[in-house]
Amino acid sequence: MMKMRANKPLKKYANLGIVLAATLFLAGCQSELYSNLQEREVNEMISVLAVNGIEASRSTDGKGSYTVSVDRSDFSLAIVKLSEKGLPREQFGSLGKIFNSEKLVSTPFEERARFMHALNEELSNSISRINGVVSARVHLMVPEDSPFEDNKTPPRASVFIYQEAGQDLRPQIPTIKNLIVNSLDNLEYSFVEVALFEDNTATTATTSRRSVASFGNGAWNIFLLALLGAIAWYGFKLSSNSSKQKRQNIISNKSKS
């Protein structure tokens, strides 16, 4: 009888282990995809994933920063689909941040450099919002004005655009050029060059990550299965020993009687 009582706590621990293993299994089903995101971008990412049949959830730290999570089995595919849409988008510096200098006095060269950098960033950000654009970079070349030069070099601009695979943004080139021309004084339309490139790196760049993630998922699943199997075997042994002890007690009682 003492052995049967001793087995009860062991059964309780076995059941607790099964619950713990199930909890670990459910926790392992969700994997953090991207963090430190804005709400608008998070909603856009969840929408893209939903269109591709991937269920995603979001969480916040309460300070305006969000995190997107997906099932571990969808982790690699989610990265591929978001990369194809240029998500999460590259963060560009704004005019306010660029000119937020801690120095009390800045040189004219520093002021001009910050202004040109900020203008490039703002234009790149605007072009990146065009449907079909994965990423964009704008490079403005504006010579400094000099009263001693008779023939001034005109300003020029170069735009590098990576478009989604299968997209054709050539019809949008005039609009993009006009956007650049209207953003800078004395810039002529003919001095704006737009180069389009098809972005094929989304799938290839994530091939290694997919294999690593698949290996991680497989190793995690094997560990959980092994843990559940060990707990189930232990519980079976406890149950078998308990039944055996009961039969021996019954036989013993009958022999005594």
Short mmCIF file of all heavy atoms in Angstrom, two decimals, residues 218-251:
data_model
loop_
_atom_site.label_atom_id
_atom_site.label_comp_id
_atom_site.label_asym_id
_atom_site.label_seq_id
_atom_site.Cartn_x
_atom_site.Cartn_y
_atom_site.Cartn_z
N GLY A 218 12.80 21.37 -37.64
CA GLY A 218 12.87 19.92 -37.54
C GLY A 218 13.50 19.47 -36.23
O GLY A 218 13.02 18.55 -35.58
N ALA A 219 14.58 20.15 -35.83
CA ALA A 219 15.25 19.79 -34.58
C ALA A 219 14.34 20.04 -33.39
O ALA A 219 14.29 19.24 -32.44
CB ALA A 219 16.55 20.60 -34.44
N TRP A 220 13.60 21.17 -33.43
CA TRP A 220 12.68 21.48 -32.34
C TRP A 220 11.57 20.43 -32.25
O TRP A 220 11.21 19.96 -31.18
CB TRP A 220 12.09 22.86 -32.55
CG TRP A 220 11.04 23.25 -31.55
CD1 TRP A 220 9.70 23.24 -31.72
CD2 TRP A 220 11.26 23.70 -30.20
NE1 TRP A 220 9.06 23.65 -30.59
CE2 TRP A 220 9.99 23.93 -29.64
CE3 TRP A 220 12.39 23.90 -29.44
CZ2 TRP A 220 9.84 24.39 -28.33
CZ3 TRP A 220 12.25 24.35 -28.13
CH2 TRP A 220 10.99 24.59 -27.60
N ASN A 221 11.01 20.03 -33.40
CA ASN A 221 9.94 19.03 -33.41
C ASN A 221 10.44 17.68 -32.92
O ASN A 221 9.73 16.98 -32.19
CB ASN A 221 9.37 18.90 -34.82
CG ASN A 221 8.62 20.15 -35.25
OD1 ASN A 221 8.12 20.89 -34.40
ND2 ASN A 221 8.54 20.39 -36.55
N ILE A 222 11.66 17.30 -33.34
CA ILE A 222 12.23 16.03 -32.88
C ILE A 222 12.41 16.03 -31.37
O ILE A 222 12.11 15.06 -30.67
CB ILE A 222 13.56 15.75 -33.59
CG1 ILE A 222 13.31 15.47 -35.07
CG2 ILE A 222 14.30 14.57 -32.95
CD1 ILE A 222 14.58 15.35 -35.90
N PHE A 223 12.90 17.17 -30.84
CA PHE A 223 13.08 17.27 -29.39
C PHE A 223 11.76 17.14 -28.65
O PHE A 223 11.66 16.42 -27.65
CB PHE A 223 13.74 18.61 -29.06
CG PHE A 223 13.77 18.92 -27.58
CD1 PHE A 223 14.65 18.28 -26.73
CD2 PHE A 223 12.88 19.85 -27.04
CE1 PHE A 223 14.66 18.56 -25.38
CE2 PHE A 223 12.88 20.13 -25.70
CZ PHE A 223 13.78 19.49 -24.86
N LEU A 224 10.72 17.82 -29.15
CA LEU A 224 9.42 17.76 -28.48
C LEU A 224 8.83 16.36 -28.55
O LEU A 224 8.26 15.86 -27.57
CB LEU A 224 8.46 18.76 -29.12
CG LEU A 224 8.73 20.24 -28.81
CD1 LEU A 224 7.75 21.12 -29.58
CD2 LEU A 224 8.60 20.51 -27.32
N LEU A 225 8.97 15.71 -29.72
CA LEU A 225 8.45 14.35 -29.84
C LEU A 225 9.18 13.40 -28.90
O LEU A 225 8.56 12.52 -28.28
CB LEU A 225 8.61 13.88 -31.29
CG LEU A 225 7.66 14.54 -32.32
CD1 LEU A 225 8.01 14.07 -33.73
CD2 LEU A 225 6.21 14.21 -32.00
N ALA A 226 10.50 13.58 -28.81
CA ALA A 226 11.27 12.74 -27.89
C ALA A 226 10.85 12.97 -26.44
O ALA A 226 10.72 12.02 -25.66
CB ALA A 226 12.77 13.00 -28.07
N LEU A 227 10.63 14.25 -26.09
CA LEU A 227 10.21 14.57 -24.73
C LEU A 227 8.85 13.99 -24.42
O LEU A 227 8.63 13.38 -23.36
CB LEU A 227 10.20 16.09 -24.54
CG LEU A 227 9.77 16.60 -23.15
CD1 LEU A 227 10.72 16.07 -22.08
CD2 LEU A 227 9.75 18.12 -23.13
N LEU A 228 7.90 14.17 -25.35
CA LEU A 228 6.56 13.61 -25.15
C LEU A 228 6.60 12.09 -25.08
O LEU A 228 5.88 11.48 -24.28
CB LEU A 228 5.64 14.07 -26.28
CG LEU A 228 5.25 15.55 -26.29
CD1 LEU A 228 4.50 15.89 -27.56
CD2 LEU A 228 4.41 15.89 -25.08
N GLY A 229 7.45 11.48 -25.93
CA GLY A 229 7.57 10.03 -25.89
C GLY A 229 8.12 9.53 -24.56
O GLY A 229 7.65 8.54 -24.02
N ALA A 230 9.13 10.24 -24.04
CA ALA A 230 9.72 9.85 -22.76
C ALA A 230 8.71 9.98 -21.63
O ALA A 230 8.61 9.11 -20.75
CB ALA A 230 10.96 10.71 -22.47
N ILE A 231 7.94 11.07 -21.66
CA ILE A 231 6.93 11.27 -20.61
C ILE A 231 5.85 10.21 -20.71
O ILE A 231 5.38 9.67 -19.70
CB ILE A 231 6.34 12.69 -20.71
CG1 ILE A 231 7.41 13.73 -20.38
CG2 ILE A 231 5.15 12.86 -19.79
CD1 ILE A 231 6.96 15.16 -20.58
N ALA A 232 5.42 9.93 -21.96
CA ALA A 232 4.38 8.91 -22.13
C ALA A 232 4.88 7.55 -21.67
O ALA A 232 4.15 6.78 -21.03
CB ALA A 232 3.97 8.85 -23.60
N TRP A 233 6.15 7.21 -21.99
CA TRP A 233 6.71 5.94 -21.56
C TRP A 233 6.80 5.87 -20.04
O TRP A 233 6.47 4.85 -19.44
CB TRP A 233 8.10 5.77 -22.17
CG TRP A 233 8.80 4.50 -21.74
CD1 TRP A 233 8.65 3.25 -22.25
CD2 TRP A 233 9.74 4.38 -20.66
NE1 TRP A 233 9.44 2.35 -21.58
CE2 TRP A 233 10.12 3.01 -20.59
CE3 TRP A 233 10.29 5.29 -19.76
CZ2 TRP A 233 11.03 2.55 -19.66
CZ3 TRP A 233 11.20 4.82 -18.83
CH2 TRP A 233 11.57 3.46 -18.78
N TYR A 234 7.19 6.97 -19.43
CA TYR A 234 7.29 7.00 -17.97
C TYR A 234 5.92 6.83 -17.33
O TYR A 234 5.75 6.12 -16.35
CB TYR A 234 7.93 8.31 -17.53
CG TYR A 234 8.24 8.37 -16.05
CD1 TYR A 234 9.19 7.53 -15.48
CD2 TYR A 234 7.57 9.28 -15.23
CE1 TYR A 234 9.47 7.58 -14.13
CE2 TYR A 234 7.85 9.35 -13.88
CZ TYR A 234 8.80 8.49 -13.33
OH TYR A 234 9.08 8.55 -11.99
N GLY A 235 4.92 7.52 -17.91
CA GLY A 235 3.56 7.38 -17.38
C GLY A 235 3.04 5.97 -17.54
O GLY A 235 2.36 5.43 -16.66
N PHE A 236 3.37 5.34 -18.69
CA PHE A 236 2.95 3.96 -18.91
C PHE A 236 3.59 3.03 -17.89
O PHE A 236 2.95 2.11 -17.37
CB PHE A 236 3.31 3.54 -20.33
CG PHE A 236 3.06 2.08 -20.61
CD1 PHE A 236 1.78 1.62 -20.86
CD2 PHE A 236 4.12 1.18 -20.63
CE1 PHE A 236 1.55 0.27 -21.10
CE2 PHE A 236 3.89 -0.17 -20.87
CZ PHE A 236 2.60 -0.63 -21.11
N LYS A 237 4.88 3.24 -17.62
CA LYS A 237 5.57 2.41 -16.64
C LYS A 237 4.96 2.56 -15.25
O LYS A 237 4.78 1.58 -14.53
CB LYS A 237 7.05 2.78 -16.61
CG LYS A 237 7.82 2.38 -17.87
CD LYS A 237 7.95 0.87 -18.00
CE LYS A 237 8.87 0.30 -16.93
NZ LYS A 237 9.06 -1.17 -17.08
N LEU A 238 4.62 3.80 -14.89
CA LEU A 238 3.99 4.03 -13.59
C LEU A 238 2.65 3.31 -13.51
O LEU A 238 2.31 2.68 -12.50
CB LEU A 238 3.81 5.52 -13.35
CG LEU A 238 5.07 6.33 -13.06
CD1 LEU A 238 4.71 7.80 -12.89
CD2 LEU A 238 5.74 5.83 -11.78
N SER A 239 1.88 3.43 -14.59
CA SER A 239 0.57 2.78 -14.61
C SER A 239 0.70 1.27 -14.56
O SER A 239 -0.03 0.58 -13.87
CB SER A 239 -0.20 3.20 -15.86
OG SER A 239 -1.45 2.55 -15.92
N SER A 240 1.69 0.73 -15.29
CA SER A 240 1.92 -0.71 -15.30
C SER A 240 2.36 -1.22 -13.94
O SER A 240 1.88 -2.24 -13.45
CB SER A 240 2.97 -1.06 -16.37
OG SER A 240 3.24 -2.45 -16.36
N ASN A 241 3.26 -0.48 -13.30
CA ASN A 241 3.73 -0.87 -11.97
C ASN A 241 2.60 -0.81 -10.95
O ASN A 241 2.50 -1.65 -10.06
CB ASN A 241 4.88 0.02 -11.52
CG ASN A 241 6.13 -0.23 -12.35
OD1 ASN A 241 6.30 -1.29 -12.93
ND2 ASN A 241 7.01 0.78 -12.40
N SER A 242 1.74 0.22 -11.12
CA SER A 242 0.62 0.35 -10.18
C SER A 242 -0.35 -0.81 -10.33
O SER A 242 -0.82 -1.38 -9.34
CB SER A 242 -0.09 1.68 -10.44
OG SER A 242 -1.22 1.81 -9.60
N SER A 243 -0.63 -1.21 -11.60
CA SER A 243 -1.54 -2.34 -11.83
C SER A 243 -0.93 -3.64 -11.31
O SER A 243 -1.63 -4.48 -10.72
CB SER A 243 -1.84 -2.46 -13.33
OG SER A 243 -2.47 -1.30 -13.80
N LYS A 244 0.34 -3.79 -11.53
CA LYS A 244 1.04 -4.99 -11.04
C LYS A 244 1.01 -5.06 -9.52
O LYS A 244 0.80 -6.13 -8.94
CB LYS A 244 2.47 -4.98 -11.55
CG LYS A 244 3.25 -6.24 -11.19
CD LYS A 244 4.65 -6.18 -11.79
CE LYS A 244 5.44 -7.42 -11.44
NZ LYS A 244 6.82 -7.36 -12.01
N GLN A 245 1.18 -3.91 -8.87
CA GLN A 245 1.17 -3.88 -7.42
C GLN A 245 -0.22 -4.21 -6.88
O GLN A 245 -0.37 -4.90 -5.87
CB GLN A 245 1.61 -2.49 -6.93
CG GLN A 245 1.71 -2.36 -5.42
CD GLN A 245 2.81 -3.26 -4.85
OE1 GLN A 245 3.84 -3.44 -5.47
NE2 GLN A 245 2.57 -3.84 -3.68
N LYS A 246 -1.26 -3.72 -7.60
CA LYS A 246 -2.62 -4.03 -7.18
C LYS A 246 -2.89 -5.53 -7.25
O LYS A 246 -3.50 -6.11 -6.35
CB LYS A 246 -3.61 -3.28 -8.06
CG LYS A 246 -3.70 -1.78 -7.77
CD LYS A 246 -4.74 -1.14 -8.66
CE LYS A 246 -4.85 0.36 -8.37
NZ LYS A 246 -5.86 1.01 -9.23
N ARG A 247 -2.45 -6.16 -8.36
CA ARG A 247 -2.66 -7.61 -8.50
C ARG A 247 -1.93 -8.38 -7.41
O ARG A 247 -2.46 -9.33 -6.84
CB ARG A 247 -2.18 -8.06 -9.87
CG ARG A 247 -3.08 -7.59 -11.02
CD ARG A 247 -2.79 -8.38 -12.30
NE ARG A 247 -1.42 -8.19 -12.74
CZ ARG A 247 -1.06 -7.23 -13.57
NH1 ARG A 247 -1.96 -6.38 -14.05
NH2 ARG A 247 0.19 -7.10 -13.94
N GLN A 248 -0.71 -7.94 -7.09
CA GLN A 248 0.04 -8.63 -6.03
C GLN A 248 -0.65 -8.45 -4.67
O GLN A 248 -0.69 -9.40 -3.87
CB GLN A 248 1.46 -8.07 -5.94
CG GLN A 248 2.33 -8.45 -7.14
CD GLN A 248 3.71 -7.84 -7.07
OE1 GLN A 248 3.97 -7.00 -6.20
NE2 GLN A 248 4.59 -8.26 -7.98
N ASN A 249 -1.21 -7.28 -4.41
CA ASN A 249 -1.92 -7.05 -3.15
C ASN A 249 -3.16 -7.93 -3.07
O ASN A 249 -3.50 -8.46 -2.01
CB ASN A 249 -2.29 -5.59 -3.01
CG ASN A 249 -1.07 -4.73 -2.78
OD1 ASN A 249 -0.04 -5.20 -2.27
ND2 ASN A 249 -1.18 -3.44 -3.13
N ILE A 250 -3.87 -8.05 -4.22
CA ILE A 250 -5.08 -8.89 -4.22
C ILE A 250 -4.73 -10.35 -3.94
O ILE A 250 -5.38 -11.05 -3.15
CB ILE A 250 -5.82 -8.75 -5.56
CG1 ILE A 250 -6.39 -7.34 -5.69
CG2 ILE A 250 -6.94 -9.77 -5.67
CD1 ILE A 250 -6.98 -7.03 -7.06
N ILE A 251 -3.66 -10.83 -4.63
CA ILE A 251 -3.22 -12.21 -4.43
C ILE A 251 -2.78 -12.42 -2.99
O ILE A 251 -3.09 -13.45 -2.36
CB ILE A 251 -2.10 -12.57 -5.42
CG1 ILE A 251 -2.64 -12.54 -6.84
CG2 ILE A 251 -1.49 -13.93 -5.08
CD1 ILE A 251 -1.54 -12.70 -7.89
#
